[in-house]
Amino acid sequence: MEGIRVSSQRRDGFAVVAVSGELDIVTSRRFDECLAEVRRDDDHIIIDLSAVDFMDTGSLAVIVGHWKQLTAAGGTLALAGARYRYTKTLWITGLADRLPLYESVDAAVAARRAGTGGATAAS
Amino acid sequence: MQQSPGRHGTGSEIDGLKARYGALRQAAALPDADPGTLLAAALAELEAAVSALTAGGGAAGPGAGGQDPSGASHAERRLLHSVFQQAPVPLFLLGADGTVRRVNAAAGDLLGSGTGYAIGKAFTAFIDLPSRPAVTSHFAAAARKGETREFRCGVLTAAGAAEHTLAVHPVSIQGNPDHLVVAVTSAGGSTPAGGPGKPRARQRPEPGAEVVQAMTRRLDLVMAATRILLENITYSEPVALQRYARLLARELAAWVIVDVQGSQRLRRQHVSGPDDQRAEKLANAVAAVDPEPGSGVYQVHESGSTMLIAHAEDAGALGDGPDGVPLLMLLGATSVLSVPLTDGEHAYGVLTLARWAGHPHFEIADVGLVEELGEQLALAIRVNRMFRHRAEIADALQTSLLPRQVRQVPGTEIAAAHVAATSGTETGGDFYDVYPSGDGWGVAIGDVCGKGLDTAAVSAAARHAIRALAHLDTDPAAVLRGINDIMLTEDFGGRFVTADAGHLSWRDGRLHLSLSSAGHPGPVLLRPDGRTHVLNGGGLPLGIFQDAEPASQDVELEPGDLLFLYTDGLTSACGPDLVQFEERLTDELAALAGETAAVLVSRMRDVVLELCAGELRDDVTLLALRVGQPPG
C-alpha cells in the first residue's frame, strides 16, 4: 500500500492540486478531503494527475463528485497530465471525453484563460 | 474532529504524569537507584507537565491532510511527538527540500529561539555562511545513499556561531527517503549547547553518539511498531498482537508476554522470546498457562498502573508457569516491566517485558516508552475490533446482495464469483445478475463506484431496477437508460454506476447476444480454439449525464463460445511489480479455452488472487457464460 501526496498551489487564478501516487480505495478518502479543503477557498481547480500511478473508479467518483458540485455552482474543474497507462479508468468509463482533460497544467491554464471551457479534451 | 485538545486532553495528561510521578518515587527508593537517570527523567516529566499545562494543542501538521479522525493515528502522533520532543539531543526533522518541519525542545534551546521560529525555514539558515554549501551537499548525499553522515560545521546558536558535529540521517516513510533527521551530537568550542539559564537535562554528560543511537533506535522502534499496527488493520487481532510482540522481543526485551482480557479472566494470548528452538518451545509452554488471579499482571490489569521490577528478587513476581515453576525462573528473567493495555477507557490486557540477568535492567526511562507502546497497542485492539465487526456486517450485506445461485439459461452454463476487496472495510458496489427478460434472458454486471455507507444499498437498488426494467423492455440499452434516469433523480454525490447489460435469445441454433455498455469494460469473447475478442465497452457511466447513451452491439454466439464479463477490480488488480492483471487477461483466458464456465471462473479467481498475493484493493466480480447446444 503506497500512499499519496497531495499539494496545492495557486496559479493564474486557479488552484492547482497536484497528486502523486496511487489513488485507490485506501487513499481516495484523503484525496476527497484535500479537494474539499481546496474548494473552501477556490472555485476554479485544476487537478494535476501527471504523477498518479493508479486510479480506480472510486477515486474517479471523487473527482466526478467535486466536478458536479463545482460546475453547478459556477466553478470549474479540469484534469491535467493524466497518463493513459496509469489512469486508464478515465478512458474505460468514457469520462475522458466528458471531463475537461488537458495534456498539462500549462495547457489547462492557457485553455481556461482563453475561455475555452467545457470538454475540450486532449486526445 | 472528535479529539479536542482542550480540558479533556490535559486531564488525561495529568493523570499520566501522576502515575509516572509515583513510579519515579518508587524507583528512587530502589537500593541502587541511579540519581542521574532519575533526575533526567524527573526533569523530562516536569517538561511534559509544563507542555501539558500550556497546551492548546500541538502545531497542526504541515501537510494538507487535516485531522485524521482515527484514534489510533492520533495516539501514534502523540507518541512520536513526545519521544521526539523529549529527546535529550537537539533534533531537527527536515523535509526533502531541506526545510525545517519539526524541531524538538533541545534544538529550540540550542537556537535560543523556541521551536516555532525555525519551522518552515531552510535549515541552512541556521548554518554559518561558509559551511552552508558543504551542509547542503552532505544532506543530498545522505538522502541519495540512504546513509547517516556525520560532519562538523558552524551552527548559528543562541550564543553566536559555534562549531558542532551534526549527524544527518535519512528517514523513510513507506520506502521513500523523503525526510532527514539532523541531530546535533556534540558541542564544540566554548559555546554551551543549551541556551543560557536552561538547565533541563544539562547535568547529564554531553550527549554522545550512544545517546543519539539510542534515540534513533527508539524512534525506529516506535515507527516500526506503528507500522505493524497500521498495516495489520485488515488482519486479525491475534496476528497483529503476535507481530507486535515479536518486534518488541527483538528490540526491547528477551521475553514479551501479551495477556488479553477474555470473557472471564486474562488469557495468555502470546509469548515471544529469543529466536531459537529451545526458546520457542518454552514460549509455547508458557503461553499455554493463563496468568493466575492475584499475580502481578492481574494487579497491573486491575489497577491500570505500571509495574516496574528493576531487579526481581522474588521469582514469583509474575506467578507460576507450567508445572508450577515460577515464571521468572523459567524464563531466566531478572528485570520485569508490565504495563496495562488501556486506551484510557477500557482495559484490554497487559503487556509484559522481561530481560535476562546480564542485560541492562529496565529503568524509569523505559517506562514512558513502554507505556506509550501499550496504549498504542490498546488503541489498535479497539480499532481492530470495531473494524472487524463492521467488516463482518459488510460481508454479510454483500453476500445478501448477490444471487446465491446463478439462474441458468437454457442451453448455456453460467458461473460467477465475487471476491471482496481486502483493503478498506466498506462494502464494495459490485453486482451481477441473470434474469428472465421477455422472450429470452438478461445478464448484467456492474459496479457502483464511489464510497458511502449505503453503497451496498445503491448496488442492490441498481440490480433490482435492472431486473424490473428488463421485465418491461428486452432492449438492454433501454434498461441502462432507465437506470441512468433513476439515478439522476437522486443525489448520489459523485457516485456512478458502470454496467454491461445483455439480452440473450436462441435463434436458429445460435445464441444471439444484444449487449449494451455504460462505461464498463467490454466482455471478452473466448472461442473454443483459444481466440479472444475483447468486445467494445463504451457508453458513459450512469448517474452523471442526462444524455448518456449506452453503446450497443449484437454478437452471435456459437456452441462452445464463452462470454466473460468482469468488473475493473479484476483488470486493475496488480502484484508487487505493479503490473496490472489487464495485461494478462486475454492470455489467461486463452489458456482456459474449452474449459467449463465453472472451471474458468474458479481458475481466473485463483490466478488473480495469486498475482496480487491476496491483497485486493477493489472487489472482483467474474461471470462466465458458456454456450452449449440449443435447447429442445
Side-chain angles (χ1 to χ4, degrees), chain B residues 119-120 264 405:
Chain B
I119 293 173
Q264 298 288 325
Q405 211 169 2

PDB file of all heavy atoms in Angstrom, chain B residues 119-120 264 405:
ATOM      1  N   ILE B 119      10.598  26.474  12.224  1.00  0.00           N
ATOM      2  CA  ILE B 119       9.754  25.683  11.315  1.00  0.00           C
ATOM      3  C   ILE B 119       9.401  26.471  10.062  1.00  0.00           C
ATOM      4  O   ILE B 119       9.002  27.630  10.137  1.00  0.00           O
ATOM      5  CB  ILE B 119       8.489  25.198  12.057  1.00  0.00           C
ATOM      6  CG1 ILE B 119       8.911  24.201  13.122  1.00  0.00           C
ATOM      7  CG2 ILE B 119       7.486  24.574  11.093  1.00  0.00           C
ATOM      8  CD1 ILE B 119       7.809  23.772  14.043  1.00  0.00           C
ATOM      9  N   GLY B 120       9.591  25.829   8.922  1.00  0.00           N
ATOM     10  CA  GLY B 120       9.272  26.464   7.654  1.00  0.00           C
ATOM     11  C   GLY B 120      10.469  27.156   7.030  1.00  0.00           C
ATOM     12  O   GLY B 120      10.434  27.547   5.874  1.00  0.00           O
ATOM     13  N   GLN B 264     -13.966 -14.108  31.006  1.00  0.00           N
ATOM     14  CA  GLN B 264     -13.950 -14.219  32.467  1.00  0.00           C
ATOM     15  C   GLN B 264     -12.646 -13.709  33.065  1.00  0.00           C
ATOM     16  O   GLN B 264     -12.638 -13.079  34.104  1.00  0.00           O
ATOM     17  CB  GLN B 264     -14.105 -15.696  32.874  1.00  0.00           C
ATOM     18  CG  GLN B 264     -15.409 -16.327  32.427  1.00  0.00           C
ATOM     19  CD  GLN B 264     -16.587 -15.808  33.217  1.00  0.00           C
ATOM     20  OE1 GLN B 264     -16.460 -15.523  34.403  1.00  0.00           O
ATOM     21  NE2 GLN B 264     -17.727 -15.656  32.553  1.00  0.00           N
ATOM     22  N   GLN B 405     -27.418 -18.330  -6.024  1.00  0.00           N
ATOM     23  CA  GLN B 405     -27.147 -19.290  -7.074  1.00  0.00           C
ATOM     24  C   GLN B 405     -27.495 -18.594  -8.379  1.00  0.00           C
ATOM     25  O   GLN B 405     -28.531 -17.942  -8.474  1.00  0.00           O
ATOM     26  CB  GLN B 405     -28.028 -20.504  -6.875  1.00  0.00           C
ATOM     27  CG  GLN B 405     -27.364 -21.753  -7.353  1.00  0.00           C
ATOM     28  CD  GLN B 405     -28.131 -22.984  -6.913  1.00  0.00           C
ATOM     29  OE1 GLN B 405     -29.181 -22.884  -6.280  1.00  0.00           O
ATOM     30  NE2 GLN B 405     -27.626 -24.135  -7.262  1.00  0.00           N
TER      31      GLN B 405
END
